[in-house]
Amino acid sequence: MTTPNALVIVPTYNERANLPVLVEQLLRHAMVRILVVDDQSPDGTGDIADDLARQYPGRIEVMHRTGRRGLGRSYVDGFRAALGSNADVICQMDADLSHDPAHLPALVAATAEADLVLGSRYVQHGAIVNWPLRRLLLSRFANQYIRLVTRLDVRDCTTGYRCWRRAALADLPLDRISSDGYSFLVETLYMAARRGARLAEVPITFVERREGESKLSGAVIFESILMPWRLIAAHDRP
Ligand SMILES: Nc1nc2c(ncn2[C@@H]2O[C@H](COP(=O)(O)OP(=O)(O)O)[C@@H](O)[C@H]2O)c(=O)[nH]1
Ligand SMILES: [Mg+2]
């Protein structure tokens, strides 16, 4: 494959300070197009995304979702749109600048040998910057717990920085996805692994956001505790 063309799906909820910076950095990579999936952000991120789409014609599309908001729901809608485009590689990335666009070429390149590439904080040369100890421990524990229950053989099951080969994404039963938040990330990873997807991890340095607020909530954490058990119960049925 020559350089594949990559569609980066960026879900946004109140990211007005971050989105223009992210877009400018991402579009330095010639192979990249962007799909912003905004959930009617009260801070007007959707309008800013429309402005950016006008500023970079042909390189950005904006999906304005209505109805129930959610990270998982936004990605499912974004995946469907991406599979209707000609993208060879479909990427997932947070809008808050935690995921450095400079890592993207390495992730995309790794799709030459893998179906799903994870931008990983927990492999050698991976790192996390500016997380309080509490959050570091929570993430570490969550990943160990998920690996133990699901037997997934990757270090960073909850990373939101990912690149899919088109065929592997097309293989997922998107209408069977039941979760949102972090669980959505684990569920889709698990589904892919069960379908025989080749997984790879590429080290990233994750930098906690400076602008805006995290939407991580207690409910999301609670969903994550039950999720691995639901996964092995539901998806191991033939
Ligand atoms: N479309 C959409 N995006 C969301 C929603 N919740 C979070 N996001 C986006 O998902 C990404 C990760 O969210 P963030 O709050 O940073 O979570 P954290 O990194 O786990 O603290 C960011 O780009 C958010 O703007 C949502 O309900 N809908
Ligand atoms: Mg974040």
Side-chain angles (χ1 to χ4, degrees):
M1 195 160 49
T2 53
T3 309
N5 69 72
L7 180 64
V8 181
I9 304 175
V10 181
T12 54
Y13 192 74
N14 289 350
E15 301 288 1
R16 63 174 300 139
N18 294 317
L19 187 63
V21 183
L22 177 74
V23 160
E24 192 270 317
Q25 292 181 7
L26 267 178
L27 291 183
R28 288 181 203 163
H29 304 305
M31 63 179 168
V32 164
R33 285 180 304 124
I34 301 173
L35 172 61
V36 177
V37 184
D38 185 64
D39 256 339
Q40 296 190 297
S41 298
D43 76 347
T45 301
D47 295 334
I48 288 172
D50 286 336
D51 289 343
L52 289 163
R54 277 188 288 274
Q55 195 181 329
Y56 300 100
R59 298 201 66 193
I60 307 185
E61 280 189 50
V62 186
M63 182 187 288
H64 297 278
R65 293 188 72 249
T66 53
R68 210 164 151 211
R69 88 169 173 96
L71 180 64
R73 285 180 202 95
S74 295
Y75 267 127
V76 169
D77 290 353
F79 286 162
R80 290 208 167 97
L83 290 170
S85 79
N86 66 350
D88 304 313
V89 172
I90 294 142
C91 306
Q92 302 173 234
M93 189 169 182
D94 290 354
D96 62 358
L97 306 174
S98 297
H99 297 153
D100 187 342
H103 295 310
L104 193 70
L107 267 74
V108 172
T111 62
E113 305 284 332
D115 299 303
L116 170 56
V117 177
L118 305 174
S120 181
R121 299 161 290 186
Y122 300 129
V123 291
Q124 199 182 14
H125 305 302
I128 297 176
V129 175
N130 282 347
W131 263 8
L133 183 63
R134 193 180 141 273
R135 185 122 192 225
L136 280 172
L137 291 175
L138 181 67
S139 175
R140 273 283 183 184
F141 171 79
N143 272 286
Q144 291 298 340
Y145 175 77
I146 291 160
R147 280 159 44 90
L148 190 74
V149 178
T150 63
R151 303 186 175 269
L152 273 167
D153 188 22
V154 289
R155 295 276 143 192
D156 197 341
C157 304
T158 54
T159 177
Y161 200 179
R162 301 175 169 192
C163 293
W164 297 80
R165 277 176 86 110
R166 181 196 184 83
L169 186 62
D171 210 25
L172 291 190
L174 294 178
D175 44 12
R176 271 176 55 192
I177 294 173
S178 59
S179 56
D180 227 39
Y182 289 98
S183 299
F184 166 82
L185 295 168
V186 179
E187 183 169 18
T188 46
L189 169 61
Y190 187 79
M191 281 177 160
R194 292 290 306 173
R195 277 164 181 72
R198 295 163 303 163
L199 308 178
E201 289 183 273
V202 168
I204 60 162
T205 297
F206 178 102
V207 183
E208 181 52 7
R209 65 162 73 240
R210 287 166 178 275
E211 303 286 342
E213 279 168 23
S214 167
K215 287 100 210 168
L216 178 67
S217 69
V220 163
I221 293 175
F222 185 69
E223 184 188 31
S224 311
I225 293 171
L226 300 179
M227 173 50 57
W229 299 100
R230 281 180 37 205
L231 286 179
I232 58 172
H235 293 288
D236 283 359
R237 283 202 305 266

